[in-house]
PDB file of all heavy atoms in Angstrom:
ATOM      1  N   LEU A 275       0.882  -1.136   0.004  1.00 98.00           N
ATOM      2  CA  LEU A 275       0.017   0.020   0.015  1.00 98.00           C
ATOM      3  C   LEU A 275       0.880   1.229   0.062  1.00 98.00           C
ATOM      4  O   LEU A 275       1.709   1.479   0.902  1.00 98.00           O
ATOM      5  CB  LEU A 275      -0.998  -0.067   1.251  1.00 98.00           C
ATOM      6  CG  LEU A 275      -1.789  -1.243   1.445  1.00 98.00           C
ATOM      7  CD1 LEU A 275      -2.324  -1.214   2.793  1.00 98.00           C
ATOM      8  CD2 LEU A 275      -2.940  -1.256   0.431  1.00 98.00           C
ATOM      9  N   ILE A 276       0.788   2.068  -0.982  1.00 98.00           N
ATOM     10  CA  ILE A 276       1.666   3.321  -1.082  1.00 98.00           C
ATOM     11  C   ILE A 276       0.695   4.507  -0.930  1.00 98.00           C
ATOM     12  O   ILE A 276      -0.247   4.695  -1.597  1.00 98.00           O
ATOM     13  CB  ILE A 276       2.250   3.373  -2.480  1.00 98.00           C
ATOM     14  CG1 ILE A 276       3.243   2.259  -2.722  1.00 98.00           C
ATOM     15  CG2 ILE A 276       2.937   4.669  -2.718  1.00 98.00           C
ATOM     16  CD1 ILE A 276       3.823   2.265  -4.043  1.00 98.00           C
ATOM     17  N   LEU A 277       0.932   5.009   0.316  1.00 98.00           N
ATOM     18  CA  LEU A 277       0.160   6.137   0.664  1.00 98.00           C
ATOM     19  C   LEU A 277       0.809   7.468   0.108  1.00 98.00           C
ATOM     20  O   LEU A 277       1.839   7.892   0.445  1.00 98.00           O
ATOM     21  CB  LEU A 277       0.094   6.337   2.206  1.00 98.00           C
ATOM     22  CG  LEU A 277      -0.980   5.461   3.056  1.00 98.00           C
ATOM     23  CD1 LEU A 277      -0.898   4.052   2.572  1.00 98.00           C
ATOM     24  CD2 LEU A 277      -0.923   5.753   4.515  1.00 98.00           C
ATOM     25  N   ASP A 278       0.083   8.071  -0.833  1.00 96.00           N
ATOM     26  CA  ASP A 278       0.547   9.164  -1.571  1.00 96.00           C
ATOM     27  C   ASP A 278       0.032  10.551  -1.091  1.00 96.00           C
ATOM     28  O   ASP A 278      -1.170  10.734  -0.961  1.00 96.00           O
ATOM     29  CB  ASP A 278       0.167   8.926  -3.082  1.00 96.00           C
ATOM     30  CG  ASP A 278       0.554  10.046  -3.999  1.00 96.00           C
ATOM     31  OD1 ASP A 278       1.682  10.444  -4.032  1.00 96.00           O
ATOM     32  OD2 ASP A 278      -0.262  10.609  -4.662  1.00 96.00           O
ATOM     33  N   VAL A 279       0.969  11.512  -0.798  1.00 94.00           N
ATOM     34  CA  VAL A 279       0.553  12.786  -0.440  1.00 94.00           C
ATOM     35  C   VAL A 279       1.575  13.764  -1.016  1.00 94.00           C
ATOM     36  O   VAL A 279       2.756  13.449  -1.142  1.00 94.00           O
ATOM     37  CB  VAL A 279       0.561  12.791   1.159  1.00 94.00           C
ATOM     38  CG1 VAL A 279       2.012  12.629   1.643  1.00 94.00           C
ATOM     39  CG2 VAL A 279      -0.005  14.091   1.604  1.00 94.00           C
ATOM     40  N   PRO A 280       1.131  14.941  -1.500  1.00 92.00           N
ATOM     41  CA  PRO A 280       2.088  15.959  -1.903  1.00 92.00           C
ATOM     42  C   PRO A 280       3.224  16.254  -0.934  1.00 92.00           C
ATOM     43  O   PRO A 280       2.927  16.234   0.330  1.00 92.00           O
ATOM     44  CB  PRO A 280       1.168  17.132  -2.135  1.00 92.00           C
ATOM     45  CG  PRO A 280      -0.161  16.560  -2.391  1.00 92.00           C
ATOM     46  CD  PRO A 280      -0.248  15.424  -1.484  1.00 92.00           C
ATOM     47  N   ALA A 281       4.343  16.614  -1.299  1.00 88.00           N
ATOM     48  CA  ALA A 281       5.493  16.739  -0.497  1.00 88.00           C
ATOM     49  C   ALA A 281       5.211  17.861   0.612  1.00 88.00           C
ATOM     50  O   ALA A 281       5.624  17.680   1.755  1.00 88.00           O
ATOM     51  CB  ALA A 281       6.702  17.106  -1.296  1.00 88.00           C
ATOM     52  N   GLU A 282       4.664  18.983   0.201  1.00 90.00           N
ATOM     53  CA  GLU A 282       4.499  20.096   1.132  1.00 90.00           C
ATOM     54  C   GLU A 282       3.543  19.650   2.244  1.00 90.00           C
ATOM     55  O   GLU A 282       3.789  20.068   3.404  1.00 90.00           O
ATOM     56  CB  GLU A 282       4.018  21.389   0.452  1.00 90.00           C
ATOM     57  CG  GLU A 282       2.686  21.294  -0.265  1.00 90.00           C
ATOM     58  CD  GLU A 282       2.654  20.683  -1.698  1.00 90.00           C
ATOM     59  OE1 GLU A 282       3.666  20.095  -2.017  1.00 90.00           O
ATOM     60  OE2 GLU A 282       1.670  20.951  -2.443  1.00 90.00           O
ATOM     61  N   ILE A 283       2.479  18.904   2.009  1.00 90.00           N
ATOM     62  CA  ILE A 283       1.598  18.384   2.943  1.00 90.00           C
ATOM     63  C   ILE A 283       2.188  17.395   3.962  1.00 90.00           C
ATOM     64  O   ILE A 283       2.125  17.473   5.173  1.00 90.00           O
ATOM     65  CB  ILE A 283       0.269  17.827   2.374  1.00 90.00           C
ATOM     66  CG1 ILE A 283      -0.513  18.934   1.509  1.00 90.00           C
ATOM     67  CG2 ILE A 283      -0.509  17.225   3.399  1.00 90.00           C
ATOM     68  CD1 ILE A 283      -1.732  18.439   0.746  1.00 90.00           C
ATOM     69  N   GLY A 284       3.009  16.574   3.331  1.00 88.00           N
ATOM     70  CA  GLY A 284       3.655  15.589   4.065  1.00 88.00           C
ATOM     71  C   GLY A 284       4.691  16.192   5.147  1.00 88.00           C
ATOM     72  O   GLY A 284       4.685  15.852   6.251  1.00 88.00           O
ATOM     73  N   LEU A 285       5.447  17.163   4.674  1.00 88.00           N
ATOM     74  CA  LEU A 285       6.378  17.836   5.517  1.00 88.00           C
ATOM     75  C   LEU A 285       5.666  18.615   6.548  1.00 88.00           C
ATOM     76  O   LEU A 285       6.231  18.691   7.722  1.00 88.00           O
ATOM     77  CB  LEU A 285       7.281  18.724   4.631  1.00 88.00           C
ATOM     78  CG  LEU A 285       8.340  18.081   3.926  1.00 88.00           C
ATOM     79  CD1 LEU A 285       9.114  19.020   2.970  1.00 88.00           C
ATOM     80  CD2 LEU A 285       9.349  17.393   4.731  1.00 88.00           C
ATOM     81  N   GLN A 286       4.519  19.179   6.328  1.00 87.00           N
ATOM     82  CA  GLN A 286       3.793  20.002   7.312  1.00 87.00           C
ATOM     83  C   GLN A 286       3.356  18.986   8.432  1.00 87.00           C
ATOM     84  O   GLN A 286       3.314  19.265   9.621  1.00 87.00           O
ATOM     85  CB  GLN A 286       2.539  20.666   6.691  1.00 87.00           C
ATOM     86  CG  GLN A 286       2.892  21.856   5.814  1.00 87.00           C
ATOM     87  CD  GLN A 286       1.630  22.401   4.977  1.00 87.00           C
ATOM     88  OE1 GLN A 286       0.481  21.840   5.301  1.00 87.00           O
ATOM     89  NE2 GLN A 286       1.846  23.359   4.146  1.00 87.00           N
ATOM     90  N   ARG A 287       2.837  17.870   7.980  1.00 84.00           N
ATOM     91  CA  ARG A 287       2.400  16.824   8.972  1.00 84.00           C
ATOM     92  C   ARG A 287       3.567  16.273   9.772  1.00 84.00           C
ATOM     93  O   ARG A 287       3.556  16.261  11.022  1.00 84.00           O
ATOM     94  CB  ARG A 287       1.706  15.731   8.276  1.00 84.00           C
ATOM     95  CG  ARG A 287       0.358  16.018   7.714  1.00 84.00           C
ATOM     96  CD  ARG A 287      -0.058  14.754   6.854  1.00 84.00           C
ATOM     97  NE  ARG A 287      -1.448  14.996   6.215  1.00 84.00           N
ATOM     98  CZ  ARG A 287      -2.088  14.075   5.345  1.00 84.00           C
ATOM     99  NH1 ARG A 287      -1.359  12.972   5.105  1.00 84.00           N
ATOM    100  NH2 ARG A 287      -3.221  14.396   4.836  1.00 84.00           N
ATOM    101  N   ALA A 288       4.658  15.994   9.110  1.00 79.00           N
ATOM    102  CA  ALA A 288       5.889  15.422   9.798  1.00 79.00           C
ATOM    103  C   ALA A 288       6.439  16.426  10.761  1.00 79.00           C
ATOM    104  O   ALA A 288       7.030  16.073  11.733  1.00 79.00           O
ATOM    105  CB  ALA A 288       6.937  14.873   8.743  1.00 79.00           C
ATOM    106  N   GLY A 289       6.292  17.690  10.458  1.00 74.00           N
ATOM    107  CA  GLY A 289       6.705  18.732  11.385  1.00 74.00           C
ATOM    108  C   GLY A 289       6.155  18.712  12.725  1.00 74.00           C
ATOM    109  O   GLY A 289       6.675  19.312  13.677  1.00 74.00           O
ATOM    110  N   GLY A 290       4.938  18.149  12.903  1.00 54.00           N
ATOM    111  CA  GLY A 290       4.178  18.157  14.068  1.00 54.00           C
ATOM    112  C   GLY A 290       4.589  16.986  14.960  1.00 54.00           C
ATOM    113  O   GLY A 290       3.983  16.810  16.006  1.00 54.00           O
ATOM    114  N   ARG A 291       5.358  16.023  14.495  1.00 59.00           N
ATOM    115  CA  ARG A 291       5.704  14.855  15.275  1.00 59.00           C
ATOM    116  C   ARG A 291       6.806  15.243  16.239  1.00 59.00           C
ATOM    117  O   ARG A 291       7.592  16.124  16.112  1.00 59.00           O
ATOM    118  CB  ARG A 291       6.214  13.730  14.326  1.00 59.00           C
ATOM    119  CG  ARG A 291       5.154  13.271  13.261  1.00 59.00           C
ATOM    120  CD  ARG A 291       5.577  12.097  12.519  1.00 59.00           C
ATOM    121  NE  ARG A 291       6.750  12.255  11.876  1.00 59.00           N
ATOM    122  CZ  ARG A 291       7.075  11.562  10.731  1.00 59.00           C
ATOM    123  NH1 ARG A 291       6.250  10.676  10.271  1.00 59.00           N
ATOM    124  NH2 ARG A 291       8.196  11.756  10.219  1.00 59.00           N
ATOM    125  N   ARG A 292       6.891  14.470  17.367  1.00 55.00           N
ATOM    126  CA  ARG A 292       7.747  14.766  18.336  1.00 55.00           C
ATOM    127  C   ARG A 292       8.821  13.478  18.591  1.00 55.00           C
ATOM    128  O   ARG A 292       9.373  13.467  19.634  1.00 55.00           O
ATOM    129  CB  ARG A 292       7.167  14.980  19.723  1.00 55.00           C
ATOM    130  CG  ARG A 292       6.267  16.332  19.538  1.00 55.00           C
ATOM    131  CD  ARG A 292       5.443  16.605  20.824  1.00 55.00           C
ATOM    132  NE  ARG A 292       4.710  17.746  20.778  1.00 55.00           N
ATOM    133  CZ  ARG A 292       3.972  18.177  21.709  1.00 55.00           C
ATOM    134  NH1 ARG A 292       3.925  17.653  22.947  1.00 55.00           N
ATOM    135  NH2 ARG A 292       3.165  19.295  21.599  1.00 55.00           N
ATOM    136  N   THR A 293       8.999  12.699  17.536  1.00 59.00           N
ATOM    137  CA  THR A 293       9.868  11.559  17.690  1.00 59.00           C
ATOM    138  C   THR A 293      11.276  11.922  17.705  1.00 59.00           C
ATOM    139  O   THR A 293      12.217  11.191  18.205  1.00 59.00           O
ATOM    140  CB  THR A 293       9.500  10.460  16.650  1.00 59.00           C
ATOM    141  OG1 THR A 293       9.938  10.975  15.354  1.00 59.00           O
ATOM    142  CG2 THR A 293       8.091  10.098  16.640  1.00 59.00           C
ATOM    143  N   GLY A 294      11.696  13.032  16.942  1.00 65.00           N
ATOM    144  CA  GLY A 294      13.102  13.421  16.965  1.00 65.00           C
ATOM    145  C   GLY A 294      13.722  12.741  15.842  1.00 65.00           C
ATOM    146  O   GLY A 294      14.810  13.151  15.365  1.00 65.00           O
ATOM    147  N   GLU A 295      13.158  11.701  15.063  1.00 76.00           N
ATOM    148  CA  GLU A 295      13.663  11.020  14.005  1.00 76.00           C
ATOM    149  C   GLU A 295      13.322  11.834  12.686  1.00 76.00           C
ATOM    150  O   GLU A 295      12.550  11.427  11.926  1.00 76.00           O
ATOM    151  CB  GLU A 295      13.175   9.699  13.910  1.00 76.00           C
ATOM    152  CG  GLU A 295      13.567   8.845  15.283  1.00 76.00           C
ATOM    153  CD  GLU A 295      13.047   7.394  15.222  1.00 76.00           C
ATOM    154  OE1 GLU A 295      12.009   7.122  14.449  1.00 76.00           O
ATOM    155  OE2 GLU A 295      13.632   6.542  15.839  1.00 76.00           O
ATOM    156  N   SER A 296      14.043  12.909  12.429  1.00 83.00           N
ATOM    157  CA  SER A 296      13.662  13.905  11.428  1.00 83.00           C
ATOM    158  C   SER A 296      14.730  14.007  10.348  1.00 83.00           C
ATOM    159  O   SER A 296      14.686  15.090   9.577  1.00 83.00           O
ATOM    160  CB  SER A 296      13.293  15.164  12.076  1.00 83.00           C
ATOM    161  OG  SER A 296      14.382  15.750  12.647  1.00 83.00           O
ATOM    162  N   ARG A 297      15.639  13.223  10.327  1.00 92.00           N
ATOM    163  CA  ARG A 297      16.830  13.369   9.395  1.00 92.00           C
ATOM    164  C   ARG A 297      16.406  13.472   7.954  1.00 92.00           C
ATOM    165  O   ARG A 297      16.926  14.360   7.193  1.00 92.00           O
ATOM    166  CB  ARG A 297      17.843  12.333   9.577  1.00 92.00           C
ATOM    167  CG  ARG A 297      19.055  12.470   8.778  1.00 92.00           C
ATOM    168  CD  ARG A 297      20.169  11.483   9.030  1.00 92.00           C
ATOM    169  NE  ARG A 297      21.242  11.509   7.936  1.00 92.00           N
ATOM    170  CZ  ARG A 297      21.108  10.570   6.978  1.00 92.00           C
ATOM    171  NH1 ARG A 297      20.173   9.664   6.922  1.00 92.00           N
ATOM    172  NH2 ARG A 297      21.911  10.747   5.939  1.00 92.00           N
ATOM    173  N   PHE A 298      15.550  12.685   7.512  1.00 91.00           N
ATOM    174  CA  PHE A 298      15.143  12.668   6.070  1.00 91.00           C
ATOM    175  C   PHE A 298      14.173  13.842   5.784  1.00 91.00           C
ATOM    176  O   PHE A 298      14.250  14.333   4.710  1.00 91.00           O
ATOM    177  CB  PHE A 298      14.471  11.348   5.713  1.00 91.00           C
ATOM    178  CG  PHE A 298      15.453  10.238   5.575  1.00 91.00           C
ATOM    179  CD1 PHE A 298      15.644   9.278   6.522  1.00 91.00           C
ATOM    180  CD2 PHE A 298      16.176  10.116   4.378  1.00 91.00           C
ATOM    181  CE1 PHE A 298      16.642   8.357   6.457  1.00 91.00           C
ATOM    182  CE2 PHE A 298      17.170   9.049   4.257  1.00 91.00           C
ATOM    183  CZ  PHE A 298      17.372   8.181   5.406  1.00 91.00           C
ATOM    184  N   GLU A 299      13.298  14.259   6.815  1.00 87.00           N
ATOM    185  CA  GLU A 299      12.578  15.393   6.581  1.00 87.00           C
ATOM    186  C   GLU A 299      13.297  16.593   6.383  1.00 87.00           C
ATOM    187  O   GLU A 299      13.098  17.547   5.636  1.00 87.00           O
ATOM    188  CB  GLU A 299      11.505  15.610   7.749  1.00 87.00           C
ATOM    189  CG  GLU A 299      10.468  14.645   7.828  1.00 87.00           C
ATOM    190  CD  GLU A 299      10.707  13.544   8.850  1.00 87.00           C
ATOM    191  OE1 GLU A 299      11.941  13.091   8.793  1.00 87.00           O
ATOM    192  OE2 GLU A 299       9.907  13.215   9.607  1.00 87.00           O
ATOM    193  N   GLN A 300      14.607  16.708   7.042  1.00 90.00           N
ATOM    194  CA  GLN A 300      15.473  17.786   6.986  1.00 90.00           C
ATOM    195  C   GLN A 300      16.082  17.893   5.505  1.00 90.00           C
ATOM    196  O   GLN A 300      16.637  18.907   5.236  1.00 90.00           O
ATOM    197  CB  GLN A 300      16.600  17.694   7.928  1.00 90.00           C
ATOM    198  CG  GLN A 300      16.015  17.907   9.369  1.00 90.00           C
ATOM    199  CD  GLN A 300      17.298  17.673  10.423  1.00 90.00           C
ATOM    200  OE1 GLN A 300      18.334  18.395  10.324  1.00 90.00           O
ATOM    201  NE2 GLN A 300      17.099  16.729  11.398  1.00 90.00           N
ATOM    202  N   LYS A 301      15.922  16.974   4.718  1.00 92.00           N
ATOM    203  CA  LYS A 301      16.546  17.034   3.281  1.00 92.00           C
ATOM    204  C   LYS A 301      15.802  17.942   2.518  1.00 92.00           C
ATOM    205  O   LYS A 301      16.136  18.330   1.342  1.00 92.00           O
ATOM    206  CB  LYS A 301      16.702  15.630   2.771  1.00 92.00           C
ATOM    207  CG  LYS A 301      17.830  14.741   3.507  1.00 92.00           C
ATOM    208  CD  LYS A 301      17.976  13.547   2.732  1.00 92.00           C
ATOM    209  CE  LYS A 301      19.128  12.754   3.422  1.00 92.00           C
ATOM    210  NZ  LYS A 301      19.591  11.596   2.612  1.00 92.00           N
ATOM    211  N   GLY A 302      14.451  18.369   2.883  1.00 90.00           N
ATOM    212  CA  GLY A 302      13.740  19.342   2.208  1.00 90.00           C
ATOM    213  C   GLY A 302      12.727  18.809   1.281  1.00 90.00           C
ATOM    214  O   GLY A 302      12.578  17.675   0.903  1.00 90.00           O
ATOM    215  N   GLU A 303      11.970  19.885   0.696  1.00 91.00           N
ATOM    216  CA  GLU A 303      10.822  19.570  -0.096  1.00 91.00           C
ATOM    217  C   GLU A 303      11.131  18.927  -1.399  1.00 91.00           C
ATOM    218  O   GLU A 303      10.444  18.086  -1.854  1.00 91.00           O
ATOM    219  CB  GLU A 303       9.964  20.807  -0.194  1.00 91.00           C
ATOM    220  CG  GLU A 303       8.589  20.594  -0.963  1.00 91.00           C
ATOM    221  CD  GLU A 303       7.777  21.736  -0.958  1.00 91.00           C
ATOM    222  OE1 GLU A 303       7.637  22.608  -0.038  1.00 91.00           O
ATOM    223  OE2 GLU A 303       7.051  21.975  -1.987  1.00 91.00           O
ATOM    224  N   ALA A 304      12.215  19.462  -1.992  1.00 94.00           N
ATOM    225  CA  ALA A 304      12.622  18.881  -3.291  1.00 94.00           C
ATOM    226  C   ALA A 304      12.947  17.309  -3.269  1.00 94.00           C
ATOM    227  O   ALA A 304      12.589  16.498  -4.064  1.00 94.00           O
ATOM    228  CB  ALA A 304      13.782  19.620  -3.949  1.00 94.00           C
ATOM    229  N   TYR A 305      13.671  17.047  -2.141  1.00 93.00           N
ATOM    230  CA  TYR A 305      13.978  15.592  -1.944  1.00 93.00           C
ATOM    231  C   TYR A 305      12.641  14.803  -1.674  1.00 93.00           C
ATOM    232  O   TYR A 305      12.524  13.703  -2.274  1.00 93.00           O
ATOM    233  CB  TYR A 305      14.905  15.471  -0.791  1.00 93.00           C
ATOM    234  CG  TYR A 305      15.234  14.076  -0.419  1.00 93.00           C
ATOM    235  CD1 TYR A 305      16.243  13.355  -1.090  1.00 93.00           C
ATOM    236  CD2 TYR A 305      14.663  13.379   0.767  1.00 93.00           C
ATOM    237  CE1 TYR A 305      16.688  12.107  -0.843  1.00 93.00           C
ATOM    238  CE2 TYR A 305      15.053  12.109   0.932  1.00 93.00           C
ATOM    239  CZ  TYR A 305      15.926  11.504   0.243  1.00 93.00           C
ATOM    240  OH  TYR A 305      16.389  10.080   0.605  1.00 93.00           O
ATOM    241  N   GLN A 306      11.816  15.279  -0.814  1.00 93.00           N
ATOM    242  CA  GLN A 306      10.577  14.622  -0.489  1.00 93.00           C
ATOM    243  C   GLN A 306       9.709  14.432  -1.742  1.00 93.00           C
ATOM    244  O   GLN A 306       9.021  13.436  -1.991  1.00 93.00           O
ATOM    245  CB  GLN A 306       9.838  15.366   0.535  1.00 93.00           C
ATOM    246  CG  GLN A 306      10.402  15.224   2.016  1.00 93.00           C
ATOM    247  CD  GLN A 306      10.477  13.899   2.619  1.00 93.00           C
ATOM    248  OE1 GLN A 306       9.547  13.179   2.239  1.00 93.00           O
ATOM    249  NE2 GLN A 306      11.510  13.503   3.229  1.00 93.00           N
ATOM    250  N   GLN A 307       9.756  15.442  -2.638  1.00 94.00           N
ATOM    251  CA  GLN A 307       8.964  15.379  -3.894  1.00 94.00           C
ATOM    252  C   GLN A 307       9.499  14.202  -4.806  1.00 94.00           C
ATOM    253  O   GLN A 307       8.914  13.495  -5.404  1.00 94.00           O
ATOM    254  CB  GLN A 307       8.936  16.663  -4.603  1.00 94.00           C
ATOM    255  CG  GLN A 307       7.997  16.665  -5.839  1.00 94.00           C
ATOM    256  CD  GLN A 307       6.554  16.286  -5.712  1.00 94.00           C
ATOM    257  OE1 GLN A 307       5.955  16.800  -4.806  1.00 94.00           O
ATOM    258  NE2 GLN A 307       6.109  15.343  -6.432  1.00 94.00           N
ATOM    259  N   ALA A 308      10.809  14.157  -4.817  1.00 96.00           N
ATOM    260  CA  ALA A 308      11.515  13.083  -5.525  1.00 96.00           C
ATOM    261  C   ALA A 308      11.182  11.766  -4.971  1.00 96.00           C
ATOM    262  O   ALA A 308      11.020  10.776  -5.785  1.00 96.00           O
ATOM    263  CB  ALA A 308      12.980  13.329  -5.587  1.00 96.00           C
ATOM    264  N   VAL A 309      11.144  11.560  -3.681  1.00 96.00           N
ATOM    265  CA  VAL A 309      10.705  10.358  -2.966  1.00 96.00           C
ATOM    266  C   VAL A 309       9.323   9.986  -3.414  1.00 96.00           C
ATOM    267  O   VAL A 309       8.963   8.870  -3.819  1.00 96.00           O
ATOM    268  CB  VAL A 309      10.743  10.585  -1.529  1.00 96.00           C
ATOM    269  CG1 VAL A 309      10.133   9.345  -0.779  1.00 96.00           C
ATOM    270  CG2 VAL A 309      12.250  10.589  -1.101  1.00 96.00           C
ATOM    271  N   ARG A 310       8.372  11.109  -3.385  1.00 96.00           N
ATOM    272  CA  ARG A 310       6.994  10.762  -3.908  1.00 96.00           C
ATOM    273  C   ARG A 310       6.923  10.179  -5.320  1.00 96.00           C
ATOM    274  O   ARG A 310       6.180   9.217  -5.533  1.00 96.00           O
ATOM    275  CB  ARG A 310       6.230  12.036  -3.696  1.00 96.00           C
ATOM    276  CG  ARG A 310       4.722  11.725  -3.991  1.00 96.00           C
ATOM    277  CD  ARG A 310       3.931  13.114  -4.300  1.00 96.00           C
ATOM    278  NE  ARG A 310       2.497  12.796  -4.587  1.00 96.00           N
ATOM    279  CZ  ARG A 310       1.714  13.810  -5.033  1.00 96.00           C
ATOM    280  NH1 ARG A 310       2.223  15.039  -5.285  1.00 96.00           N
ATOM    281  NH2 ARG A 310       0.465  13.552  -5.198  1.00 96.00           N
ATOM    282  N   ASP A 311       7.663  10.888  -6.152  1.00 97.00           N
ATOM    283  CA  ASP A 311       7.711  10.494  -7.550  1.00 97.00           C
ATOM    284  C   ASP A 311       8.249   9.105  -7.715  1.00 97.00           C
ATOM    285  O   ASP A 311       7.791   8.415  -8.570  1.00 97.00           O
ATOM    286  CB  ASP A 311       8.576  11.499  -8.403  1.00 97.00           C
ATOM    287  CG  ASP A 311       7.901  12.831  -8.536  1.00 97.00           C
ATOM    288  OD1 ASP A 311       6.706  13.073  -8.209  1.00 97.00           O
ATOM    289  OD2 ASP A 311       8.656  13.917  -8.747  1.00 97.00           O
ATOM    290  N   ALA A 312       9.218   8.778  -6.900  1.00 97.00           N
ATOM    291  CA  ALA A 312       9.792   7.487  -6.980  1.00 97.00           C
ATOM    292  C   ALA A 312       8.847   6.357  -6.551  1.00 97.00           C
ATOM    293  O   ALA A 312       8.594   5.362  -7.316  1.00 97.00           O
ATOM    294  CB  ALA A 312      11.020   7.359  -6.084  1.00 97.00           C
ATOM    295  N   PHE A 313       8.004   6.519  -5.521  1.00 98.00           N
ATOM    296  CA  PHE A 313       7.005   5.653  -5.051  1.00 98.00           C
ATOM    297  C   PHE A 313       5.960   5.447  -6.148  1.00 98.00           C
ATOM    298  O   PHE A 313       5.543   4.334  -6.439  1.00 98.00           O
ATOM    299  CB  PHE A 313       6.388   6.092  -3.707  1.00 98.00           C
ATOM    300  CG  PHE A 313       7.040   5.731  -2.543  1.00 98.00           C
ATOM    301  CD1 PHE A 313       7.545   6.621  -1.597  1.00 98.00           C
ATOM    302  CD2 PHE A 313       7.451   4.355  -2.284  1.00 98.00           C
ATOM    303  CE1 PHE A 313       8.208   6.282  -0.460  1.00 98.00           C
ATOM    304  CE2 PHE A 313       8.169   4.007  -1.196  1.00 98.00           C
ATOM    305  CZ  PHE A 313       8.483   5.026  -0.238  1.00 98.00           C
ATOM    306  N   LEU A 314       5.676   6.549  -6.876  1.00 98.00           N
ATOM    307  CA  LEU A 314       4.587   6.441  -7.946  1.00 98.00           C
ATOM    308  C   LEU A 314       5.120   5.600  -9.022  1.00 98.00           C
ATOM    309  O   LEU A 314       4.418   4.812  -9.672  1.00 98.00           O
ATOM    310  CB  LEU A 314       4.092   7.834  -8.300  1.00 98.00           C
ATOM    311  CG  LEU A 314       3.278   8.594  -7.368  1.00 98.00           C
ATOM    312  CD1 LEU A 314       2.976   9.981  -7.694  1.00 98.00           C
ATOM    313  CD2 LEU A 314       1.918   7.844  -6.814  1.00 98.00           C
TER     314      LEU A 314
END
């Protein structure tokens, strides 16, 4: 199951988490968009 969400929305949601495991989110929106495109 591939849960698909635009990069900007995903980063907004991820920013509200408190796990501290944010290394990949810190790579930025362009990287997250590339990840989304890759999953599709």
Side-chain angles (χ1 to χ4, degrees):
L275 303 167
I276 296 178
L277 275 55
D278 178 52
V279 66
E282 64 273 16
I283 295 176
L285 284 173
Q286 288 171 6
R287 292 175 178 174
R291 298 187 304 207
R292 298 181 180 180
T293 63
E295 297 177 338
S296 61
R297 183 170 163 266
F298 286 97
E299 289 97 318
Q300 292 177 51
K301 295 192 177 191
E303 187 174 324
Y305 179 79
Q306 290 291 326
Q307 183 61 48
V309 168
R310 181 195 185 193
D311 293 342
F313 275 123
L314 293 175

